[in-house]
Amino acid sequence: MGITVREALKLGGLRRAKVVAGEAGLERIIKYVDILEIPDPRGWFRANELIITTGYAIRNDPRAQANLLLELARTNGAGLAVKFGRFIGSVPEEMRRLADELKIPLLDVPDDIPYVEITNPLMAAIVNEQARQLEYSERVHRELTRVALEASNIQAVAAALATLVEREVVICDEELQPLAVSGKGSAVGALQLPPEEIKRLHSAQKAVEITLWSRNVRRRYFVAPIDVREHRYGYILVDGQTPLSELNQIALEHAVTVTALQMVKEEAVVEARRSLQRDLLEDLIAGALRHRELAISRAEALGILLEEPKVIMAIDIDDFTGYLLHQPGAQEANAGVLKRRFHRAVNSCFMAFDRRVLTVQRSDSVVGILPANGREIRGAEDWRVLRGMLQELAASIQLKIARELDGVTVTIGISSIAADPMEISERYQEARTAIRLARRLNGKGTVAFWEDVELYHVLGQSGETLERFYRSVLGELDRPEVKNREELLETLRVYLECQGNVMASAAKLYIHRNTMRYRLQRIEELLGRDLDSPDERLALWLALKARGLIRSE
């Protein structure tokens, strides 16, 4: 709290002073005024201090004269006022040069001006400015507190701060996603920071000035972190096209405090509700609720409609432990940060899909319970439409994870429809099994519907019996010495998919129908089976599925 050197030049004896160098530093703040008449100033200066001297102790010492300015610069002093005429004479050129270089205002004060005519008006102005700023600080605190209590939301705090500082204000979460925007030009899109600015921002403990991109426009902001108990909740951004005044900085500091309280309060409310929802969803997933009416009544109390059909989507991080082992720093801290970012990314996709999606985080997985309204599940065509929507949702989740979490992939399992809330536990197991089988059959980072892997699940229950069955049905064809073995196996697969239609199979394989018939004849000879028999075709189809399952191991 103080006044600028430029303002000081309008007060008392300094009105007759001349700025002989260092004009670029006239906006430096004066908080203290002192008189110095010793040759070595080291240890005597304070930040924001204006030094007044006759220069007697350094009158014949150019080196000491230069050192006076250097020490002021080192301590972030406000300026130097010298009565040059009495002992030094004309202003030394070296002092002019150095003052300009260091941007330290160098003032030439007439010899006849008493020190008291300089110090008294300056101290009075500083005290008055401090009183004004304290009064302003109290008013800002009352206003922001009132807004927070009455409106009880972050947007109201942003609007109040924007009015106080007369600039655009953006309040973001810890990932720089805007939560509230107000003031001039308040249509802010996603904020993008260069890597070096991200690093500087994450380590900042107080407001810093950064450059970022918003809607393809490069902009400058003053950014103040919102920290509570070593946890960073987010940031307040204030337009930085021009410097912030001290009053603006006071308002920003109060806004950080009020916003932090608001965020903590909102987090507590959301967490309490989320905890109740999480308990209910965990009970549903675990099959712990035995009475349908109890499950429905608990859900209704939380604003959840359980009676409509649901689909379970499980999203699981691939090789979670392996990923953490390759990250620097504490594993527990990395795990917590990764889980939060993962959950936030998945939830944002679910919100875009349908606001009625219920989610629960289970370690390194997120489980979504999605609505499937009656229109979508009346028949096969409606399920096809819903399946397409779920496929797009799964793809959007994988894409967002890839963009926001470097090196992380997820495998997604999607259940069949739970027509009743008491089926949710069983459908959850379907989604988990789909993930396990998808990784076995297709590797990491894939999407699997239960209906596509159900047969593999059934076959997988057979253990050694499964391989004996496969060998007995396809063994004679699936031998290394059989010429064109893979070609014949693919022909058999397509033929069975086309339900024994030779023409359709040939077209799908891009071969002549006679070539198709020759291959089928060759298959029959090797296997000793009649491909026209429905029972034989069923056995062959199951054997091909068993082959894929066995080869995945």
Side-chain angles (χ1 to χ4, degrees):
M1 301 179 185
I3 61 173
T4 66
V5 177
R6 189 185 302 278
E7 291 168 336
L9 290 171
K10 301 176 183 178
L11 302 173
L14 287 184
R15 286 181 293 184
R16 294 172 55 197
K18 295 180 180 179
V19 181
V20 294
E23 290 188 21
L26 289 178
E27 298 304 320
R28 285 176 176 266
I29 299 297
I30 302 174
K31 293 184 179 180
Y32 313 100
V33 182
D34 204 353
I35 299 169
L36 184 77
E37 297 295 352
I38 58 175
D40 185 5
R42 184 172 293 273
W44 289 91
F45 291 166
R46 293 172 289 180
N48 303 111
E49 188 170 49
L50 176 69
I51 297 298
I52 309 172
T53 181
T54 62
Y56 175 79
I58 57 175
R59 61 189 184 282
N60 298 317
D61 191 345
R63 185 174 179 180
Q65 295 167 5
N67 189 51
L68 192 60
L69 287 166
L70 290 170
E71 188 64 16
L72 273 170
R74 188 184 68 81
T75 57
N76 194 30
L80 178 63
V82 184
K83 292 185 176 183
F84 285 105
R86 186 172 182 183
F87 298 111
I88 297 179
S90 61
V91 181
E93 287 302 317
E94 178 60 16
M95 290 190 75
R96 290 180 188 269
R97 184 194 66 77
L98 199 55
D100 284 334
E101 179 183 317
L102 299 174
K103 298 179 181 179
I104 299 288
L106 181 60
L107 311 180
D108 183 3
V109 180
D111 292 342
D112 62 334
I113 297 177
Y115 285 148
V116 70
E117 289 188 14
I118 299 175
T119 56
N120 283 7
L122 286 184
M123 292 307 301
I126 292 170
V127 170
N128 289 338
E129 178 62 18
Q130 289 177 342
R132 186 174 74 88
Q133 291 186 9
L134 287 172
E135 182 182 354
Y136 176 79
S137 176
E138 179 65 22
R139 182 169 66 85
V140 168
H141 176 72
R142 287 197 305 269
E143 175 64 16
L144 291 175
T145 303
R146 180 191 65 77
V147 168
L149 292 174
E150 292 181 1
S152 191
N153 62 63
I154 294 175
Q155 179 60 49
V157 176
L161 179 59
T163 300
L164 289 167
V165 301
E166 297 181 343
R167 299 168 184 244
E168 177 193 55
V169 171
V170 184
I171 300 179
C172 301
D173 63 17
E174 60 182 320
E175 298 297 327
L176 280 180
Q177 297 300 313
L179 301 174
V181 184
S182 188
K184 300 176 181 178
S186 57
V188 172
L191 303 177
Q192 298 174 322
L193 272 73
E196 64 277 7
E197 294 283 47
I198 292 177
K199 184 177 180 180
R200 191 162 69 93
L201 186 59
H202 285 175
S203 61
Q205 299 301 312
K206 59 182 181 180
V208 294
E209 190 175 357
I210 65 170
T211 300
L212 51 76
W213 292 86
S214 174
R215 298 186 183 276
N216 298 320
V217 177
R218 189 171 182 269
R219 305 186 62 180
R220 295 194 66 80
Y221 284 94
F222 293 98
V223 184
I226 304 169
D227 294 333
V228 179
R229 294 180 181 176
E230 298 183 355
H231 173 66
R232 181 148 296 179
Y233 281 81
Y235 302 91
I236 297 182
L237 286 70
V238 176
D239 179 78
Q241 304 309 309
T242 57
L244 287 181
S245 67
E246 284 201 51
L247 296 183
N248 289 159
Q249 294 175 27
I250 290 171
L252 178 57
E253 289 173 6
H254 283 297
V256 167
T257 302
V258 173
T259 304
L261 293 172
Q262 189 66 31
M263 284 182 161
V264 170
K265 181 178 72 173
E266 290 182 5
E267 182 185 56
V269 172
V270 170
E271 183 54 36
R273 185 174 184 82
R274 187 184 295 135
S275 178
L276 294 173
Q277 287 188 354
R278 184 166 54 243
D279 291 345
L280 171 63
L281 299 180
E282 286 283 5
D283 287 346
L284 287 169
I285 288 172
L289 295 175
R290 303 297 182 186
H291 301 286
R292 185 176 186 275
E293 291 73 18
L294 176 61
I296 292 174
S297 63
R298 279 182 61 183
E300 287 179 348
L302 296 172
I304 299 173
L305 297 176
L306 274 188
E307 292 185 283
E308 61 181 7
K310 308 286 186 186
V311 173
I312 312 303
M313 179 181 287
I315 302 97
D316 196 67
I317 297 177
D318 295 319
D319 191 19
F320 180 71
T321 303
Y323 176 83
L324 290 178
L325 289 175
H326 290 85
Q327 302 304 306
Q331 304 304 321
E332 289 186 8
N334 287 333
V337 171
L338 176 58
K339 288 177 181 179
R340 284 197 301 273
R341 295 179 64 192
F342 167 57
H343 198 192
R344 186 183 299 113
V346 173
N347 273 344
S348 68
C349 293
F350 279 149
M351 290 285 284
F353 177 77
D354 192 315
R355 292 184 176 272
R356 295 175 297 161
V357 174
L358 308 174
T359 64
V360 59
Q361 187 167 4
R362 310 191 90 194
S363 186
D364 56 342
S365 299
V366 172
V367 181
I369 302 178
L370 293 77
N373 62 56
R375 180 190 63 78
E376 292 172 332
I377 58 170
R378 286 176 184 163
E381 178 61 23
D382 291 330
W383 167 244
R384 186 188 65 79
V385 173
L386 176 59
R387 176 178 167 127
M389 295 168 61
L390 295 172
Q391 184 75 52
E392 290 181 5
L393 173 60
S396 71
I397 291 173
Q398 290 183 321
L399 180 61
K400 190 170 185 66
I401 294 295
R403 285 176 175 172
E404 298 188 6
L405 304 177
D406 185 38
V408 175
T409 62
V410 294
T411 300
I412 299 176
I414 303 171
S415 75
S416 59
I417 292 173
D420 187 271
M422 306 311 288
E423 298 176 2
I424 288 177
S425 176
E426 182 180 346
R427 298 297 174 262
Y428 169 70
Q429 294 303 324
E430 290 179 356
R432 294 301 312 176
T433 302
I435 289 176
R436 177 175 56 82
L437 290 172
R439 285 175 175 154
R440 281 185 59 185
L441 295 167
N442 304 312
K444 301 173 183 177
T446 54
V447 178
F449 284 81
W450 170 249
E451 63 177 351
D452 294 337
V453 299
E454 183 177 10
L455 180 57
Y456 291 104
H457 175 65
V458 173
L459 293 173
Q461 307 305 305
S462 303
E464 294 181 2
T465 305
L466 176 67
E467 187 162 358
R468 286 198 300 271
F469 164 72
Y470 148 69
R471 292 295 178 190
S472 68
V473 177
L474 279 180
E476 293 303 312
L477 174 59
D478 195 10
R479 289 184 292 116
E481 62 269 23
V482 173
K483 186 178 180 180
N484 299 325
R485 175 182 55 159
E486 293 297 335
E487 183 180 81
L488 293 175
L489 285 167
E490 178 65 7
T491 299
L492 176 60
R493 185 188 67 79
V494 172
Y495 175 73
L496 295 175
E497 278 188 356
C498 294
Q499 302 178 24
N501 188 314
V502 174
M503 299 295 288
S505 302
K508 196 168 184 179
L509 290 168
Y510 301 102
I511 62 176
H512 194 274
R513 62 181 179 277
N514 290 338
T515 304
M516 184 70 190
R517 290 193 179 98
Y518 169 77
R519 290 184 184 179
L520 293 175
Q521 183 180 353
R522 175 73 173 140
I523 292 170
E524 286 183 327
E525 290 172 355
L526 287 168
L527 297 178
R529 293 178 180 273
D530 180 9
L531 295 183
D532 289 331
S533 168
D535 289 338
E536 294 282 27
R537 288 210 295 261
L538 175 60
L540 290 167
W541 178 249
L542 292 175
L544 283 172
K545 294 295 183 183
R547 178 179 186 265
L549 198 60
I550 292 168
R551 285 169 67 91
S552 72
E553 295 177 343

